[in-house]
Amino acid sequence: MKPLFYIFIFLTFTVCCTPCRIFTYNFPRTSDQQHFPRIYFPASSIPHPIPSKHNSTIPSLNQFLQKHHTLAFLWIHNDTIQAEYYAPHVTTEQTLDLFSISKSVVAAVLAIAWKEGYISDISDKLTHYIPDIPPAYQEISLVNLLNMRCGIEASWYTSTVLYHSSHLDKTLRNIPLRTFPDTRYEYCNAATQWLIPLIEKTTGQKFTDYFYQKLWQPLGMEYPGNWSIDSPKYQTARGFCGLSTSLRDLAKIGLCFLHEGYYGGKEILPPAWINKTFTLPPASEQSGEESVYNMHWRILTPNEEFLAKGLLGQYLYLNKKDNDLIIRLGSKESSVDWIPFFRQLISGGSFFH
Protein backbone atom coordinates (compact mmCIF):
# COMPACT_ATOMS: atom_id res chain seq x y z
CA MET A 1 0.00 0.00 0.00
CA LYS A 2 2.90 2.39 0.59
CA PRO A 3 3.60 3.14 -3.09
CA LEU A 4 -0.07 4.05 -3.67
CA PHE A 5 -0.03 6.23 -0.57
CA TYR A 6 3.03 8.14 -1.78
CA ILE A 7 1.51 8.61 -5.24
CA PHE A 8 -1.63 10.02 -3.61
CA ILE A 9 0.40 12.44 -1.49
CA PHE A 10 2.49 13.46 -4.52
CA LEU A 11 -0.57 14.24 -6.64
CA THR A 12 -2.36 15.99 -3.80
CA PHE A 13 0.43 18.46 -3.09
CA THR A 14 1.62 19.02 -6.63
CA VAL A 15 -1.71 19.72 -8.33
CA CYS A 16 -0.22 22.89 -9.83
CA CYS A 17 2.62 20.93 -11.46
CA THR A 18 2.05 20.70 -15.23
CA PRO A 19 2.96 16.98 -15.64
CA CYS A 20 0.79 16.11 -12.63
CA ARG A 21 -2.18 17.94 -14.13
CA ILE A 22 -1.76 16.08 -17.42
CA PHE A 23 -1.52 12.75 -15.56
CA THR A 24 -4.45 13.50 -13.24
CA TYR A 25 -6.97 15.30 -15.47
CA ASN A 26 -6.00 14.23 -19.00
CA PHE A 27 -8.53 15.50 -21.55
CA PRO A 28 -10.60 18.67 -21.00
CA ARG A 29 -14.06 18.18 -19.52
CA THR A 30 -16.89 20.42 -18.35
CA SER A 31 -15.94 19.89 -14.70
CA ASP A 32 -12.48 21.42 -15.18
CA GLN A 33 -13.36 24.64 -13.38
CA GLN A 34 -13.16 22.56 -10.19
CA HIS A 35 -9.53 21.64 -10.86
CA PHE A 36 -7.80 24.87 -11.90
CA PRO A 37 -7.18 27.88 -9.63
CA ARG A 38 -9.40 30.81 -10.54
CA ILE A 39 -9.99 34.52 -10.19
CA TYR A 40 -13.60 35.11 -9.12
CA PHE A 41 -15.81 38.04 -10.16
CA PRO A 42 -18.85 39.14 -8.18
CA ALA A 43 -22.06 40.09 -9.92
CA SER A 44 -22.10 43.66 -11.23
CA SER A 45 -23.02 46.34 -8.72
CA ILE A 46 -25.77 47.41 -11.16
CA PRO A 47 -27.14 44.18 -12.75
CA HIS A 48 -28.82 44.49 -16.14
CA PRO A 49 -31.27 41.60 -16.67
CA ILE A 50 -32.27 40.50 -20.16
CA PRO A 51 -36.05 40.75 -20.76
CA SER A 52 -37.86 37.44 -21.16
CA LYS A 53 -41.15 36.29 -22.66
CA HIS A 54 -43.82 35.39 -20.14
CA ASN A 55 -43.26 31.72 -20.97
CA SER A 56 -39.86 30.83 -22.41
CA THR A 57 -40.28 27.07 -21.85
CA ILE A 58 -40.83 24.92 -24.93
CA PRO A 59 -41.30 21.29 -23.75
CA SER A 60 -40.48 19.63 -27.08
CA LEU A 61 -37.33 21.74 -27.43
CA ASN A 62 -36.27 20.90 -23.88
CA GLN A 63 -36.69 17.17 -24.52
CA PHE A 64 -34.62 17.43 -27.67
CA LEU A 65 -31.84 19.35 -25.91
CA GLN A 66 -31.71 16.96 -22.99
CA LYS A 67 -31.49 14.00 -25.35
CA HIS A 68 -28.50 15.61 -27.07
CA HIS A 69 -26.31 16.28 -23.99
CA THR A 70 -27.09 19.99 -23.64
CA LEU A 71 -26.28 21.64 -20.32
CA ALA A 72 -27.82 25.03 -21.07
CA PHE A 73 -29.52 26.70 -24.04
CA LEU A 74 -30.70 30.25 -24.71
CA TRP A 75 -32.45 31.82 -27.69
CA ILE A 76 -32.82 35.60 -27.81
CA HIS A 77 -34.75 37.42 -30.53
CA ASN A 78 -34.99 41.22 -30.64
CA ASP A 79 -33.21 41.37 -27.27
CA THR A 80 -35.85 39.24 -25.52
CA ILE A 81 -35.42 35.66 -24.33
CA GLN A 82 -37.62 33.36 -26.42
CA ALA A 83 -36.50 30.00 -25.06
CA GLU A 84 -34.28 28.92 -22.18
CA TYR A 85 -33.28 25.43 -21.05
CA TYR A 86 -31.11 23.97 -18.29
CA ALA A 87 -30.23 20.34 -17.70
CA PRO A 88 -31.77 18.93 -14.50
CA HIS A 89 -28.55 19.45 -12.50
CA VAL A 90 -27.82 22.97 -13.86
CA THR A 91 -29.23 26.23 -12.43
CA THR A 92 -29.73 29.68 -13.95
CA GLU A 93 -26.91 31.24 -11.95
CA GLN A 94 -24.47 28.36 -12.39
CA THR A 95 -21.14 29.11 -14.06
CA LEU A 96 -20.30 26.87 -17.01
CA ASP A 97 -16.96 26.39 -18.74
CA LEU A 98 -16.94 28.12 -22.12
CA PHE A 99 -13.62 26.72 -23.36
CA SER A 100 -12.63 28.46 -26.63
CA ILE A 101 -15.54 30.91 -26.56
CA SER A 102 -13.13 32.58 -24.12
CA LYS A 103 -10.97 33.49 -27.12
CA SER A 104 -13.67 35.80 -28.50
CA VAL A 105 -13.95 37.47 -25.10
CA VAL A 106 -10.17 38.04 -24.97
CA ALA A 107 -10.50 39.74 -28.36
CA ALA A 108 -13.21 41.97 -26.87
CA VAL A 109 -10.87 42.98 -24.04
CA LEU A 110 -8.14 43.73 -26.59
CA ALA A 111 -10.65 45.86 -28.49
CA ILE A 112 -11.17 47.98 -25.38
CA ALA A 113 -7.40 48.37 -24.92
CA TRP A 114 -7.23 49.49 -28.57
CA LYS A 115 -10.10 51.92 -28.02
CA GLU A 116 -8.33 53.42 -25.01
CA GLY A 117 -5.12 53.96 -26.96
CA TYR A 118 -2.98 51.25 -25.36
CA ILE A 119 -2.71 49.50 -28.74
CA SER A 120 -1.86 51.66 -31.76
CA ASP A 121 -2.71 49.31 -34.60
CA ILE A 122 -3.35 45.58 -34.86
CA SER A 123 -0.94 45.46 -37.79
CA ASP A 124 1.86 46.26 -35.28
CA LYS A 125 4.35 43.53 -34.53
CA LEU A 126 4.05 41.79 -31.17
CA THR A 127 7.65 42.71 -30.43
CA HIS A 128 6.65 46.40 -30.50
CA TYR A 129 4.81 45.82 -27.22
CA ILE A 130 6.74 42.84 -25.79
CA PRO A 131 10.38 43.34 -26.85
CA ASP A 132 11.71 40.18 -25.20
CA ILE A 133 9.67 37.65 -27.19
CA PRO A 134 11.52 34.65 -28.73
CA PRO A 135 13.65 35.71 -31.74
CA ALA A 136 11.66 33.47 -34.09
CA TYR A 137 8.50 35.47 -33.27
CA GLN A 138 9.83 38.83 -34.45
CA GLU A 139 7.59 39.02 -37.55
CA ILE A 140 4.34 38.02 -35.84
CA SER A 141 1.77 40.84 -35.83
CA LEU A 142 -1.26 41.25 -33.60
CA VAL A 143 -3.59 40.58 -36.51
CA ASN A 144 -1.65 37.36 -37.22
CA LEU A 145 -2.52 36.25 -33.69
CA LEU A 146 -6.16 37.34 -33.97
CA ASN A 147 -6.62 35.51 -37.29
CA MET A 148 -4.68 32.37 -36.31
CA ARG A 149 -2.08 33.01 -39.00
CA CYS A 150 0.88 33.35 -36.65
CA GLY A 151 2.82 30.22 -37.63
CA ILE A 152 3.23 29.05 -34.02
CA GLU A 153 3.17 25.26 -33.66
CA ALA A 154 -0.28 23.96 -32.76
CA SER A 155 0.21 20.23 -32.30
CA TRP A 156 -1.69 18.00 -29.90
CA TYR A 157 1.37 17.97 -27.66
CA THR A 158 1.79 21.76 -27.44
CA SER A 159 -1.95 22.24 -26.91
CA THR A 160 -1.98 19.70 -24.08
CA VAL A 161 1.03 21.22 -22.33
CA LEU A 162 -0.43 24.70 -22.70
CA TYR A 163 -3.82 23.60 -21.36
CA HIS A 164 -2.30 22.10 -18.21
CA SER A 165 0.56 24.58 -17.77
CA SER A 166 1.22 25.92 -14.28
CA HIS A 167 3.49 28.67 -15.72
CA LEU A 168 1.94 29.89 -18.96
CA ASP A 169 4.45 32.63 -19.80
CA LYS A 170 7.30 30.14 -19.64
CA THR A 171 5.38 27.53 -21.63
CA LEU A 172 4.48 30.05 -24.34
CA ARG A 173 8.09 31.03 -24.90
CA ASN A 174 9.09 27.41 -25.47
CA ILE A 175 6.62 26.72 -28.29
CA PRO A 176 8.47 26.81 -31.64
CA LEU A 177 7.41 28.49 -34.85
CA ARG A 178 6.19 25.99 -37.46
CA THR A 179 5.75 28.29 -40.48
CA PHE A 180 6.50 31.89 -41.37
CA PRO A 181 3.76 34.24 -40.06
CA ASP A 182 0.79 34.99 -42.35
CA THR A 183 1.49 31.94 -44.49
CA ARG A 184 -1.69 30.03 -43.68
CA TYR A 185 -4.52 29.60 -41.18
CA GLU A 186 -3.95 27.10 -38.36
CA TYR A 187 -6.05 27.10 -35.22
CA CYS A 188 -3.64 27.80 -32.37
CA ASN A 189 -4.30 28.21 -28.64
CA ALA A 190 -0.93 29.90 -28.15
CA ALA A 191 -2.04 32.72 -30.47
CA THR A 192 -4.73 33.77 -28.01
CA GLN A 193 -2.53 33.22 -24.98
CA TRP A 194 0.01 35.77 -26.28
CA LEU A 195 -2.76 38.40 -26.13
CA ILE A 196 -2.84 38.08 -22.33
CA PRO A 197 0.71 39.42 -21.68
CA LEU A 198 0.13 41.94 -24.48
CA ILE A 199 -2.92 43.38 -22.67
CA GLU A 200 -1.16 43.29 -19.31
CA LYS A 201 2.00 44.92 -20.63
CA THR A 202 0.17 47.75 -22.39
CA THR A 203 -2.51 48.52 -19.78
CA GLY A 204 -0.30 47.96 -16.73
CA GLN A 205 -3.03 45.79 -15.16
CA LYS A 206 -3.64 42.09 -14.69
CA PHE A 207 -5.85 40.84 -17.49
CA THR A 208 -8.56 39.68 -15.09
CA ASP A 209 -8.69 43.11 -13.39
CA TYR A 210 -8.98 44.93 -16.71
CA PHE A 211 -11.65 42.49 -17.94
CA TYR A 212 -13.66 42.99 -14.76
CA GLN A 213 -13.47 46.78 -14.90
CA LYS A 214 -14.02 47.28 -18.62
CA LEU A 215 -16.39 44.48 -19.62
CA TRP A 216 -17.86 42.58 -16.66
CA GLN A 217 -19.08 45.58 -14.67
CA PRO A 218 -20.31 47.72 -17.60
CA LEU A 219 -22.36 44.81 -19.00
CA GLY A 220 -24.22 44.49 -15.69
CA MET A 221 -23.51 40.80 -15.10
CA GLU A 222 -26.24 39.29 -12.93
CA TYR A 223 -24.30 36.40 -11.41
CA PRO A 224 -20.75 35.70 -10.22
CA GLY A 225 -18.25 34.31 -12.73
CA ASN A 226 -14.61 33.31 -12.85
CA TRP A 227 -11.56 32.97 -15.06
CA SER A 228 -9.08 30.15 -14.54
CA ILE A 229 -5.38 30.92 -14.09
CA ASP A 230 -2.22 28.86 -14.42
CA SER A 231 -1.28 28.92 -10.71
CA PRO A 232 -1.67 31.03 -7.57
CA LYS A 233 2.01 31.98 -7.92
CA TYR A 234 1.84 33.49 -11.44
CA GLN A 235 -1.89 34.23 -11.76
CA THR A 236 -1.81 34.34 -15.56
CA ALA A 237 -5.28 34.00 -17.11
CA ARG A 238 -5.79 31.00 -19.39
CA GLY A 239 -6.98 33.19 -22.24
CA PHE A 240 -7.63 30.44 -24.76
CA CYS A 241 -10.13 28.55 -22.58
CA GLY A 242 -10.58 29.86 -19.05
CA LEU A 243 -13.79 31.90 -18.74
CA SER A 244 -16.80 30.48 -16.88
CA THR A 245 -20.07 32.42 -16.72
CA SER A 246 -23.78 31.92 -16.36
CA LEU A 247 -25.72 31.46 -19.57
CA ARG A 248 -27.44 34.85 -19.41
CA ASP A 249 -24.23 36.73 -18.66
CA LEU A 250 -22.50 35.16 -21.66
CA ALA A 251 -25.47 36.34 -23.72
CA LYS A 252 -24.71 39.94 -22.74
CA ILE A 253 -21.26 39.68 -24.35
CA GLY A 254 -22.84 38.21 -27.46
CA LEU A 255 -25.49 40.93 -27.62
CA CYS A 256 -22.76 43.54 -27.39
CA PHE A 257 -21.17 42.09 -30.55
CA LEU A 258 -24.57 41.67 -32.22
CA HIS A 259 -25.34 45.37 -31.69
CA GLU A 260 -22.04 46.77 -32.95
CA GLY A 261 -20.49 47.29 -29.52
CA TYR A 262 -23.52 48.65 -27.69
CA TYR A 263 -25.40 47.15 -24.76
CA GLY A 264 -28.05 48.80 -22.61
CA GLY A 265 -27.71 52.01 -24.60
CA LYS A 266 -24.00 52.34 -23.82
CA GLU A 267 -21.00 51.81 -26.07
CA ILE A 268 -18.98 48.99 -24.48
CA LEU A 269 -16.85 47.89 -27.45
CA PRO A 270 -15.64 50.10 -30.31
CA PRO A 271 -17.99 49.80 -33.33
CA ALA A 272 -15.03 50.04 -35.72
CA TRP A 273 -13.56 46.89 -34.16
CA ILE A 274 -16.86 45.01 -34.45
CA ASN A 275 -17.17 46.05 -38.08
CA LYS A 276 -13.66 44.77 -38.82
CA THR A 277 -14.40 41.54 -36.94
CA PHE A 278 -17.45 40.74 -39.05
CA THR A 279 -16.01 41.82 -42.41
CA LEU A 280 -14.29 39.22 -44.56
CA PRO A 281 -10.53 39.88 -44.54
CA PRO A 282 -8.55 40.09 -47.81
CA ALA A 283 -7.46 36.70 -49.17
CA SER A 284 -9.58 34.93 -46.56
CA GLU A 285 -9.57 31.14 -46.42
CA GLN A 286 -11.97 28.62 -44.97
CA SER A 287 -11.28 27.36 -41.47
CA GLY A 288 -12.46 23.85 -42.32
CA GLU A 289 -16.04 24.32 -41.06
CA GLU A 290 -17.47 26.36 -43.93
CA SER A 291 -16.45 29.51 -42.13
CA VAL A 292 -13.69 32.10 -42.16
CA TYR A 293 -11.79 32.73 -38.93
CA ASN A 294 -11.38 36.45 -38.36
CA MET A 295 -10.48 38.46 -35.26
CA HIS A 296 -11.22 35.45 -33.01
CA TRP A 297 -14.70 34.88 -34.48
CA ARG A 298 -15.96 32.66 -37.30
CA ILE A 299 -17.81 34.27 -40.19
CA LEU A 300 -20.42 31.77 -41.39
CA THR A 301 -22.31 34.05 -43.79
CA PRO A 302 -20.78 37.47 -44.59
CA ASN A 303 -22.71 40.37 -43.04
CA GLU A 304 -25.20 37.96 -41.48
CA GLU A 305 -24.06 34.96 -39.36
CA PHE A 306 -21.17 34.69 -36.91
CA LEU A 307 -19.99 32.12 -34.41
CA ALA A 308 -17.79 31.71 -31.36
CA LYS A 309 -17.17 28.05 -30.62
CA GLY A 310 -15.68 26.01 -27.79
CA LEU A 311 -14.69 22.41 -27.12
CA LEU A 312 -17.43 19.88 -26.21
CA GLY A 313 -20.12 21.67 -28.15
CA GLN A 314 -20.13 25.20 -26.78
CA TYR A 315 -21.72 27.61 -29.30
CA LEU A 316 -22.39 31.36 -29.31
CA TYR A 317 -24.24 32.07 -32.56
CA LEU A 318 -25.19 35.51 -33.83
CA ASN A 319 -27.60 36.23 -36.68
CA LYS A 320 -27.56 39.95 -37.50
CA LYS A 321 -30.10 39.67 -40.31
CA ASP A 322 -32.86 38.38 -38.01
CA ASN A 323 -31.50 39.93 -34.79
CA ASP A 324 -31.07 36.59 -33.05
CA LEU A 325 -28.58 35.16 -30.58
CA ILE A 326 -28.42 31.48 -29.65
CA ILE A 327 -26.16 29.83 -27.08
CA ARG A 328 -25.77 26.09 -26.68
CA LEU A 329 -23.46 24.77 -23.95
CA GLY A 330 -23.01 21.02 -23.77
CA SER A 331 -21.23 18.18 -22.05
CA LYS A 332 -20.34 16.85 -25.50
CA GLU A 333 -20.81 17.81 -29.14
CA SER A 334 -23.51 15.16 -29.83
CA SER A 335 -24.68 14.09 -33.29
CA VAL A 336 -26.63 17.30 -33.99
CA ASP A 337 -25.44 19.63 -36.73
CA TRP A 338 -26.01 22.69 -34.56
CA ILE A 339 -25.76 25.53 -37.08
CA PRO A 340 -28.59 24.25 -39.32
CA PHE A 341 -30.51 23.54 -36.10
CA PHE A 342 -30.17 27.19 -35.04
CA ARG A 343 -31.29 28.37 -38.46
CA GLN A 344 -34.35 26.14 -38.43
CA LEU A 345 -35.26 27.28 -34.93
CA ILE A 346 -35.17 30.92 -36.02
CA SER A 347 -37.20 30.25 -39.16
CA GLY A 348 -39.79 28.18 -37.27
CA GLY A 349 -38.95 25.00 -39.16
CA SER A 350 -39.35 21.43 -37.89
CA PHE A 351 -36.23 20.16 -36.16
CA PHE A 352 -37.15 17.89 -33.23
CA HIS A 353 -36.08 14.32 -33.95
Side-chain angles (χ1 to χ4, degrees), residues 251-268:
K252 294 181 177 73
I253 299 174
L255 288 171
C256 195
F257 274 92
L258 185 65
H259 298 318
E260 300 180 352
Y262 286 82
Y263 183 76
K266 299 183 297 184
E267 182 185 312
I268 309 295

Side-chain angles (χ1 to χ4, degrees), residues 124-134 137-142 198:
D124 290 342
K125 298 291 191 290
L126 181 62
T127 188
H128 178 74
Y129 301 99
I130 309 178
D132 61 338
I133 61 173
Y137 287 15
Q138 298 294 315
E139 294 303 313
I140 297 176
S141 68
L142 307 191
L198 168 68

Side-chain angles (χ1 to χ4, degrees), residues 142-338:
L142 307 191
V143 73
N144 293 155
L145 298 172
L146 285 165
N147 291 353
M148 300 292 184
R149 298 177 63 87
C150 58
I152 299 173
E153 184 175 313
S155 65
W156 176 87
Y157 171 77
T158 57
S159 295
T160 300
V161 172
L162 196 65
Y163 186 80
H164 291 287
S165 175
S166 58
H167 189 178
L168 277 167
D169 284 347
K170 181 179 179 181
T171 301
L172 267 183
R173 293 170 182 275
N174 288 321
I175 300 177
L177 208 66
R178 174 179 287 176
T179 61
F180 195 76
D182 206 27
T183 302
R184 61 186 174 89
Y185 165 87
E186 184 175 22
Y187 192 79
C188 176
N189 287 327
T192 306
Q193 192 57 42
W194 271 109
L195 300 179
I196 302 300
L198 168 68
I199 291 168
E200 294 186 339
K201 186 86 170 179
T202 55
T203 65
Q205 298 185 57
K206 292 298 290 184
F207 171 83
T208 47
D209 291 338
Y210 193 69
F211 163 75
Y212 176 73
Q213 295 168 18
K214 302 297 182 177
L215 199 58
W216 189 267
Q217 277 281 15
L219 285 174
M221 300 306 200
E222 296 175 71
Y223 306 107
N226 60 79
W227 204 304
S228 65
I229 55 176
D230 54 358
S231 64
K233 180 178 180 180
Y234 299 108
Q235 298 190 27
T236 301
R238 300 167 73 238
F240 56 95
C241 68
L243 180 59
S244 296
T245 72
S246 70
L247 186 65
R248 293 187 182 189
D249 286 337
L250 173 59
K252 294 181 177 73
I253 299 174
L255 288 171
C256 195
F257 274 92
L258 185 65
H259 298 318
E260 300 180 352
Y262 286 82
Y263 183 76
K266 299 183 297 184
E267 182 185 312
I268 309 295
L269 302 175
W273 183 283
I274 305 296
N275 181 62
K276 187 172 182 63
T277 297
F278 294 152
T279 300
L280 281 175
S284 58
E285 59 183 281
Q286 298 291 104
S287 66
E289 298 178 348
E290 298 185 352
S291 64
V292 173
Y293 198 92
N294 187 54
M295 303 284 282
H296 273 27
W297 279 80
R298 300 171 193 270
I299 300 176
L300 300 174
T301 305
N303 305 313
E304 184 175 326
E305 293 179 295
F306 314 100
L307 180 71
K309 184 180 179 184
L311 189 68
L312 302 180
Q314 322 311 333
Y315 289 82
L316 170 54
Y317 168 84
L318 308 180
N319 187 313
K320 293 192 72 172
K321 178 182 177 183
D322 297 313
N323 199 21
D324 286 275
L325 175 150
I326 297 177
I327 300 172
R328 186 269 179 178
L329 304 179
S331 58
K332 62 172 65 175
E333 185 74 33
S334 91
S335 60
V336 177
D337 196 346
W338 289 104

